[in-house]
Amino acid sequence: MELGPTPSEIDEVFHRLRVIPANKTCFDCNAKNPTWASVTYGVFICIDCSAVHRSLGVHLTFVRSTQLDTNWTWVQLRQMQLGGNANALQFFNQHNCNTTDAQKKYNSRGAQLYRDKLHQLALNACKTKSESNLVQCALDSRADK
């Protein structure tokens, strides 16, 4: 049975992701230093926007704390790594999803395409890694996309 990442491995992944400039602000409202994440979209969000995401339902967006939650999976960490605020913003803009209304944004066709694409990329990335390299799967640099 595959073991999940340890708290120190989770901290290491988020330490690396938090230094990326686009991840230093909330994806939805631009608040500084977000400590929550929508795993579904691989984006960093603030605590206020995490409440909005929770109200949308887990079928649209699954929210976790990047500092408090210790039960992240390898695939979830990989989604955060392959996603990121910059990649999500670019995808949403390419699909003309520029609204600030969370209901419209995350119920849009563009959002559906992005969450499906990101989840499949993360699954494939982790499948190609051997079990002994699971930690590295989550810690690899973003350059391997």
Side-chain angles (χ1 to χ4, degrees), residues 94-145:
Q94 287 173 345
H95 289 82
N96 296 317
C97 186
N98 307 352
T99 182
T100 57
D101 181 297
Q103 280 286 350
K104 289 179 183 175
K105 182 185 221 174
Y106 295 107
N107 276 292
S108 71
R109 177 76 175 134
Q112 180 184 357
L113 290 171
Y114 189 69
R115 68 179 169 258
D116 293 345
K117 174 186 172 182
L118 185 60
H119 185 67
Q120 196 57 54
L121 285 171
L123 285 175
N124 290 343
C126 285
K127 279 181 192 172
T128 61
K129 301 288 182 179
S130 70
E131 201 165 310
S132 63
N133 285 333
L134 284 174
V135 172
Q136 199 58 45
C137 171
L139 298 179
D140 283 343
S141 71
R142 292 173 59 86
D144 70 344
K145 292 190 293 181

Side-chain angles (χ1 to χ4, degrees), residues 16-137:
R16 290 180 185 209
L17 293 177
R18 278 192 202 97
V19 300
I20 298 168
N23 294 340
K24 292 181 178 184
T25 59
C26 175
F27 181 71
D28 288 340
C29 75
N30 293 319
K32 292 189 185 304
N33 303 314
T35 59
W36 289 79
S38 169
V39 179
T40 310
Y41 301 98
V43 295
F44 289 83
I45 55 178
C46 69
I47 193 166
D48 293 334
C49 290
S50 76
V52 173
H53 278 251
R54 286 186 191 280
S55 74
L56 295 173
V58 294
H59 65 289
L60 290 181
T61 177
F62 182 68
V63 177
R64 287 199 178 243
S65 170
T66 62
Q67 295 178 330
L68 302 175
D69 286 319
T70 58
N71 55 345
W72 287 78
T73 67
W74 291 116
V75 172
Q76 290 170 344
L77 290 177
R78 195 61 165 165
Q79 280 186 221
M80 293 302 299
Q81 189 177 41
L82 294 170
N85 291 9
N87 288 338
L89 181 63
Q90 181 181 19
F91 191 94
F92 275 67
N93 285 340
Q94 287 173 345
H95 289 82
N96 296 317
C97 186
N98 307 352
T99 182
T100 57
D101 181 297
Q103 280 286 350
K104 289 179 183 175
K105 182 185 221 174
Y106 295 107
N107 276 292
S108 71
R109 177 76 175 134
Q112 180 184 357
L113 290 171
Y114 189 69
R115 68 179 169 258
D116 293 345
K117 174 186 172 182
L118 185 60
H119 185 67
Q120 196 57 54
L121 285 171
L123 285 175
N124 290 343
C126 285
K127 279 181 192 172
T128 61
K129 301 288 182 179
S130 70
E131 201 165 310
S132 63
N133 285 333
L134 284 174
V135 172
Q136 199 58 45
C137 171

